[in-house]
């Protein structure tokens, strides 16, 4: 491993500059590095591609940052078993290029695939439109090795898809933001690249129409791979993608157009360039900033979400946008705050509305002045006591990004 | 943990009876017999008491009382588990959730149902099937197993290759902690902020809390299902067909295989006329044009891999008959052998043909036979080790062969259990698959919920076996004998 170097502003995690930066080149080096930090009682944060680095509250302090950027090996790819084991720092796009040579992919598509890493996707529970069909990292992860706070390397899960031996460490790490341990290697289940794909666009819907069409699609047993409603100024443009074999994709597209016609909605079957443009627009909206709020609510409550959460938020984010996954009940409102005070008022209103619906609002990214007046996580869930207990068992000295996670964990 | 003196038992029973009612606090030795074992009938242990609470608040009260007494608590659902996950430990109180069987709320707009833990798996699907919905995880014990037990074991089924396990179908759960507190984890929306405690709960084999309510994800039924059965000269060709189908980018809803001995048993039980070689049964489901295409393509691949015969059912009745042949295999083996043990191991699917040959030669070396029925798509084997307990030493040899097969699964990069769980039965085998640091980390997760290991001690984690304990024969569950359910 290269010698540790002093931390700079560029290494800051949520504004906290570490004293040193470690860049291990192997998992063994990472184990040794975390072990050495443990002996010195040093506080550390783990950084991958940095695409979700703004998620969470600023750590109470950091002695070190450990970057996974050199941990980029594919440990094992078994195409016929449709599994891949990779080191944490491997960027998603690089992984997808290697898998595509075998007609396969990891069915997770968060923004910034060139930077987002396997370990970071797990730690941040990053996802994209394909979650509609394939689920999130928690549905595709089958094994993990983690370096615990005390520098011990532990494994959970395995490399077969079906396996119920022991406690489910892989899923437990999904979304844990490096506060339970360093994700060192991850094993994922893979899927075949689809033979055909088609995107249909229903522009200019109101929230009732967007949910109505989503509901009707389900009721008619259509099975989209992805669905996203994008908006800038009140109206939602709903894009639906079908994937699979040619005949199935063609038939499902026809039937969705038919449903749209019956509902009196304008629709178009996008050509390849049009489809690319729609999903790129999605990616831009999803990744925009500097404020990015993640909204969750039961899917049928979309009209209430738009009225009571998104509209107020977007009024406080002039020129901002909204991307919503209507089959999942998840979405993101993004943009530049008019003022910290306006965003705070809007976010509190939105949060209260979403809580009332059984959902949540988390600031996945926010400027410092907004963080100063608004808790990024919101009120902790009722199970916070068990979460603290879990943290105390795996990181008893609170050295892994202390204070970054929910409820000050 | 030492067992408290029996003198205190009467007082504990009186206090519990005051909470749940005398009828639901069982201490009569004859009645306790039922609870000495679960679906794994050997290694019986009599519990001190059995409590059948009727509500969440009763569960919480009873947990507090039992915890104060220092006795361990063993939660139990329908008792169909095949790994001894609900096997009592000496001096324990078994908490049976079978009385809590209400479906509390169904929300098809958002696609979920809120149920109590004692609700039977199939009853969830039955409650919503009229509207065209279902609950996807389908362990073959689904006519009798409970949702609470499914949560504990992370139950799968034939269709989990495409649809996943219980853990992929739970939005939220309420449970009573080791302190007797009621906690809600998860929620009606995705991505509740914080750690994914549902991942710790589902598959925890009753060791983190007593589940009192579960919000299950429901699915709209697929538009169409296409089934075919293909016959191969041997499992070599069958295994190659499975690999070919998967390599073609097809994700079957289920793809099942039986070897010659398993077919022989199934024929004896059902009167089917399948050749005694190797049979593959595949379901594809989804939008109609998609599944017709997929089904045609899979049949082409099966033929190219050497299928001597392909049968497509003419109607649903014939389809059900084909599945019956597959589902009956466990119990049917009793027709061709006086005793047998059911194993549950996983291997990478591409190794199927090789591993089956290895199992055959291992069996031959010790003078035994093994019938194989398995979920071929995900490499989940169910070797059935045949033996005759009347022959001295044969049961021991069978048990050793079963254990050796699991070790071989691990050597091939697989797992010691794909769906039956570790329970009491396979706790020692955890050390074949995981190192001390791995197991210690898992224990820390358990202790985060239950620092005294009061819930279901002696399961999952390896410990020195007690004298006289050993794996034992498979015995059909009473409902299975009565023809009400099958297992595989």
């Amino acid at each position: 491993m290269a010698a540790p170097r002093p931390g700079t502003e560029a290494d800051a995690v949520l504004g906290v500059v570490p004293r040193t930066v470690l860049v291990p080149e192997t998992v063994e080096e990472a184990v040794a590095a975390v072990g050495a930090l443990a002996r010195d009682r040093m506080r550390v944060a783990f950084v991958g591609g940095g695409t979700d680095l703004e998620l969470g509250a600023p750590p109470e302090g950091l002695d070190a940052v450990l970057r996974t950027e050199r941990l980029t090996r594919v440990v094992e790819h078994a195409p016929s078993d449709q599994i891949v084991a990779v080191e944490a720092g491997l960027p998603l796009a690089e992984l997808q290029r290697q898998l595509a040579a075998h007609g396969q992919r990891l069915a997770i598509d968060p923004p910034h695939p060139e930077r987002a890493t396997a370990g970071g996707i797990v730690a941040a529970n990053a996802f994209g439109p394909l979650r509609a069909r394939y689920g999130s990292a928690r549905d595709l992860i089958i094994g993990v090795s983690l370096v615990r706070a005390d520098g011990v390397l532990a494994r959970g899960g395995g490399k077969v898809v079906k396996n119920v031996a022991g406690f489910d460490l892989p899923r437990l790490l999904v979304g844990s933001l490096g506060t339970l341990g360093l994700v060192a290697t991850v094993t994922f289940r893979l899927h075949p690249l689809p033979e055909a794909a088609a995107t249909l666009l229903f522009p200019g819907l109101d929230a009732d129409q967007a949910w109505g069409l989503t509901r009707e699609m389900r009721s008619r047993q259509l099975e989209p791979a992805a669905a996203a409603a994008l908006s800038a100024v009140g109206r939602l443009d709903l894009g639906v993608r079908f994937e699979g074999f040619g005949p199935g994709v063609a038939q499902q597209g026809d039937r969705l157009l038919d449903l749209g016609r019956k509902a009196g909605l304008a629709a178009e079957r996008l050509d390849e360039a049009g489809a690319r443009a729609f999903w790129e627009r999605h990616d831009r909206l999803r990744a925009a900033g500097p404020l990015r709020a993640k909204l969750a609510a039961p899917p049928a409550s979309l009209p209430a979400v738009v009225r009571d959460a998104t509209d107020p938020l977007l009024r406080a984010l002039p020129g901002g946008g909204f991307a919503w996954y209507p089959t999942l009940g998840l979405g993101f409102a993004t943009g530049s705050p008019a003022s910290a005070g306006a965003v705070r008022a809007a976010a509190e209103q939105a949060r209260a509305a979403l809580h009332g619906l059984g959902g949540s609002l988390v600031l996945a990214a926010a400027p410092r002045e907004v963080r100063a007046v608004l808790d990024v996580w919101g009120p902790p869930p009722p199970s916070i006591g068990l979460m603290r207990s879990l943290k105390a068992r795996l990181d008893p000295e609170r050295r892994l990004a202390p204070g970054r996670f929910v409820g000050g964990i | 943990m030492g067992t408290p003196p029996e003198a205190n038992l009467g007082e504990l029973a009186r206090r519990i009876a005051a909470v749940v009612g005398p009828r639901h606090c069982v201490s009569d030795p004859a009645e306790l017999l039922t609870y000495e074992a679960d679906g794994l009938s050997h290694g019986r242990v009599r519990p001190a008491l059995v409590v059948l609470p009727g509500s969440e608040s009763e569960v919480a009260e009873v947990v507090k009382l039992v915890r104060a007494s220092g006795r361990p608590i063993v939660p139990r659902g329908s008792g169909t588990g095949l790994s001894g996950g609900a096997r009592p430990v000496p001096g324990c109180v078994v908490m049976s959730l079978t009385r809590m069987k209400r479906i509390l709320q169904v929300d098809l707009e958002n696609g979920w149902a809120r149920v109590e833990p004692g609700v039977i798996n199939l009853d969830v699907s039955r409650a919503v099937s009229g509207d065209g919905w279902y609950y996807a995880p389908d362990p073959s014990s689904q006519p009798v197993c409970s949702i609470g037990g499914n949560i504990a074991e992370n139950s799968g089924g034939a269709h989990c290759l495409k649809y996943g396990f219980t853990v992929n179908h739970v939005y939220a759960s309420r449970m009573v902690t080791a302190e007797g507190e009621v906690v809600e984890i998860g929620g009606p929306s995705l991505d509740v902020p914080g750690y994914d405690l549902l991942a710790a709960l589902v598959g925890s084999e009753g060791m983190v809390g007593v589940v009192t309510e579960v919000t299950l994800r429901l699915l709209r039924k697929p538009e169409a299902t296409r089934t075919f059965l293909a016959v191969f000269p041997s499992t070599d060709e069958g295994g190659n067909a499975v690999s070919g189908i998967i390599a073609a980018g097809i994700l079957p809803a289920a793809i099942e295989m039986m070897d010659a001995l398993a077919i022989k048993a199934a024929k004896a039980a059902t009167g089917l006329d399948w050749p005694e070689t190797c049979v593959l049964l595949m379901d594809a489901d989804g939008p109609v044009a998609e599944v017709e295409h997929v089904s045609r393509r899979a049949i082409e691949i099966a033929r190219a891999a050497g299928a001597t015969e392909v049968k497509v059912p003419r109607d649903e009745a014939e389809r059900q008959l084909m599945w019956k042949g597959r589902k009956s295999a466990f119990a049917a083996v009793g027709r061709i052998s006086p005793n047998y043990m059911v194993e549950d191991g996983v291997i990478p699917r591409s190794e199927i043909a090789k591993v089956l040959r290895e199992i055959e030669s291992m069996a031959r070396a010790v003078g035994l036979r093994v019938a194989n029925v398995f979920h071929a798509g995900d490499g989940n084997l169910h070797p059935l080790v045949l033996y005759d307990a009347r022959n001295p030493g044969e049961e021991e040899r069978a048990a050793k062969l079963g254990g050796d097969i699991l070790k071989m699964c691990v050597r091939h990069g697989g797992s010691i259990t794909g769906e039956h769980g570790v329970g009491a039965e396979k706790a020692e085998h955890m050390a074949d698959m995981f190192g001390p640091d791995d197991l210690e980390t898992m224990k820390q997760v358990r202790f985060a919920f239950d620092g005294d290991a009061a819930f279901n001690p002696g399961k999952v984690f390896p410990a020195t076996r007690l004298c006289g304990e050993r794996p034992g024969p498979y015995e059909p569950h009473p409902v299975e004998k009565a023809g009400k359910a099958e297992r595989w």
Side-chain angles (χ1 to χ4, degrees), chain A:
Chain A
M1 184 169 75
R5 60 173 171 82
T8 66
E9 285 291 333
D11 301 303
V13 175
L14 292 153
V16 180
V17 179
R19 286 198 287 133
T20 54
V21 176
L22 309 165
V23 189
E25 293 179 15
T26 62
V27 169
E28 292 71 30
E29 286 185 0
V31 170
V34 176
L37 292 170
R39 280 191 294 281
D40 297 338
R41 300 270 167 97
M42 303 245 268
R43 295 162 299 182
V44 59
F46 307 120
V47 176
T51 52
D52 276 310
L53 209 48
E54 290 184 85
L55 179 55
E60 288 154 22
L62 283 181
D63 301 299
V65 153
L66 185 151
R67 305 187 68 97
T68 61
E69 64 199 35
R70 304 295 295 273
L71 304 176
T72 56
R73 287 184 310 150
V74 173
V75 180
E76 180 181 2
H77 176 208
S80 50
D81 297 316
Q82 296 181 334
I83 63 107
V84 71
V86 300
E87 291 180 346
L90 182 66
L92 178 61
E94 176 55 33
L95 172 62
Q96 301 289 33
R97 275 190 286 275
Q98 296 195 30
L99 298 175
H102 298 270
Q104 297 182 342
R105 67 175 172 187
L106 172 60
I108 304 180
D109 55 346
H112 305 302
E114 296 292 337
R115 284 198 291 135
T117 60
I121 287 168
V122 169
N125 186 23
F127 67 94
L130 281 178
R131 183 170 177 178
R133 168 80 157 268
Y134 297 97
S136 64
R138 104 190 272 279
D139 300 294
L140 297 170
I141 191 170
I142 57 173
V144 78
S145 69
L146 75 146
V147 187
R148 298 192 322 205
D150 58 2
V152 168
L153 183 72
R155 293 173 307 127
K159 59 176 194 176
V160 284
V161 169
K162 200 169 183 186
N163 172 22
V164 294
F167 276 73
D168 197 341
L169 301 180
R171 286 191 181 86
L172 198 52
L173 290 177
V174 174
S176 64
L177 272 186
T179 59
L180 295 178
L182 166 68
V183 175
T185 64
V186 193
T187 306
F188 289 113
R189 171 185 190 170
L190 303 174
H191 283 87
L193 279 169
E195 186 184 275
T199 297
L200 291 87
L201 178 65
F202 297 83
L205 309 185
D206 65 27
D208 287 307
Q209 289 171 322
W211 169 244
L213 188 61
T214 304
R215 191 181 177 282
E216 194 60 11
M217 198 156 59
R218 185 178 70 187
S219 151
R220 299 300 176 88
Q221 294 156 308
L222 300 182
E223 298 181 3
L230 310 180
S231 100
V233 281
R235 298 307 246 185
L236 295 163
D237 298 332
L238 176 63
V240 178
R241 185 159 89 232
F242 294 106
E243 293 182 351
F245 293 97
V249 169
Q251 188 191 45
Q252 294 200 82
D254 290 345
R255 289 167 62 182
L256 181 57
L257 286 176
D258 197 42
L259 288 183
R261 256 194 305 277
K262 282 182 184 143
L265 306 174
E268 62 179 302
R269 198 192 288 263
L270 300 178
D271 61 16
E272 212 169 295
R276 200 178 317 116
F278 177 84
W279 293 108
E280 281 172 3
R281 180 181 160 210
H282 158 273
D283 292 346
R284 279 195 305 277
L285 263 179
R286 259 288 308 261
L291 187 133
R292 194 154 62 242
K294 177 180 176 182
L295 290 70
S301 53
L302 174 58
V305 169
V306 167
R307 186 184 63 234
D308 301 330
T310 318
D311 281 353
L313 267 175
L314 291 182
R315 279 195 290 274
L317 299 168
F322 177 50
W324 180 257
Y325 305 107
T327 60
L328 296 170
L330 292 171
F332 291 81
T334 57
S336 291
S339 74
V343 162
R344 176 190 171 175
E348 281 176 350
Q349 183 189 342
R351 189 171 264 164
L354 293 168
H355 275 233
L357 296 167
S360 61
L361 183 147
V362 170
L363 293 186
R368 191 180 304 225
E369 58 276 17
V370 173
R371 292 177 180 280
V373 295
L374 193 66
D375 180 353
V376 296
W377 293 111
S383 54
I384 186 70
L386 290 173
M387 293 179 189
R388 288 190 210 287
S389 176
L390 185 61
K391 171 74 171 178
R393 286 283 172 179
L394 292 177
D395 179 20
E397 296 173 343
R398 286 189 83 243
R399 291 187 297 97
L400 307 184
R404 184 180 180 189
F405 202 54
V406 176
I409 286 176

Side-chain angles (χ1 to χ4, degrees), chain B residues 197-218:
Chain B
L197 297 180
L198 285 172
L201 172 65
V202 180
S204 64
E205 307 207 21
M207 293 195 294
V208 309
V210 181
V211 168
T212 51
E213 197 180 294
V214 188
T215 304
L216 300 170
R217 173 188 180 211
L218 302 175

Side-chain angles (χ1 to χ4, degrees), chain B residues 193-476:
Chain B
Y195 296 128
D196 190 345
L197 297 180
L198 285 172
L201 172 65
V202 180
S204 64
E205 307 207 21
M207 293 195 294
V208 309
V210 181
V211 168
T212 51
E213 197 180 294
V214 188
T215 304
L216 300 170
R217 173 188 180 211
L218 302 175
L219 297 182
R220 181 80 174 94
K221 282 181 190 166
E223 184 183 22
T225 302
R226 295 285 180 270
T227 301
F228 75 87
L229 180 147
V231 178
F232 294 91
S234 80
T235 49
D236 286 358
E237 291 85 358
N240 289 339
V242 173
S243 292
I245 289 167
I246 301 291
I250 293 169
L251 180 56
I255 183 162
E256 305 284 310
M257 218 159 109
M258 294 167 73
D259 73 359
L261 204 48
I263 297 168
K264 185 184 167 111
K267 283 172 69 175
T270 62
L272 283 162
D273 62 343
W274 298 347
E276 288 172 30
T277 51
C278 165
V279 158
L280 189 84
L281 186 62
M282 182 180 129
D283 268 359
D285 69 13
V288 63
E290 184 87 4
V291 291
E292 276 175 357
H293 174 85
V294 158
S295 201
R296 260 198 312 274
R297 185 88 189 84
I299 287 172
E300 284 166 19
I301 293 166
R303 288 219 164 92
T308 51
E309 195 180 340
V310 173
K311 290 184 184 178
V312 177
R314 277 163 306 202
D315 51 25
E316 182 59 21
E318 197 178 352
R319 174 176 176 268
Q320 290 297 340
L321 191 64
M322 286 178 176
W323 270 103
K324 192 177 175 204
R326 166 64 184 85
K327 290 182 181 186
S328 67
F330 270 26
V333 169
R335 308 252 183 163
I336 59 166
S337 176
N339 310 90
Y340 60 104
M341 289 178 198
V342 177
E343 278 303 347
D344 167 41
V346 188
I347 51 159
R349 119 186 94 221
S350 57
E351 311 256 311
I352 284 176
K354 196 160 82 185
V355 165
L356 289 177
R357 277 198 301 271
E358 210 169 323
I359 290 177
E360 197 189 341
S361 73
M362 287 164 76
R364 200 178 305 119
V366 295
L368 293 171
R369 292 182 303 163
V370 175
N372 287 288
V373 291
F374 48 97
H375 310 300
D378 41 31
N380 187 186
L381 307 176
H382 289 310
L384 308 168
V385 182
L386 280 47
Y387 67 97
D388 186 341
R390 291 166 302 189
N391 300 336
E394 197 161 309
E395 187 163 306
E396 287 72 16
R397 267 186 294 144
K400 181 166 185 314
L401 176 59
D404 288 346
I405 289 172
L406 292 184
K407 287 192 171 84
M408 181 200 59
C409 289
V410 174
R411 273 204 308 280
H412 281 271
S415 170
I416 58 168
T417 171
E419 55 186 5
H420 294 175
V422 177
E425 182 73 356
K426 291 186 180 174
E428 65 166 337
H429 286 295
M430 283 289 280
D432 298 332
M433 192 166 160
F434 295 107
D437 291 337
D438 310 334
L439 293 170
E440 202 265 332
T441 306
M442 294 180 194
K443 278 184 186 167
Q444 291 301 333
V445 175
R446 180 216 194 156
F447 289 144
F449 290 83
D450 175 13
D452 300 325
F455 288 133
N456 214 11
K459 312 292 154 56
V460 178
F461 296 108
T464 317
R465 265 187 184 267
L466 298 173
C467 189
E469 270 192 282
R470 58 187 161 74
Y474 178 81
E475 282 182 25

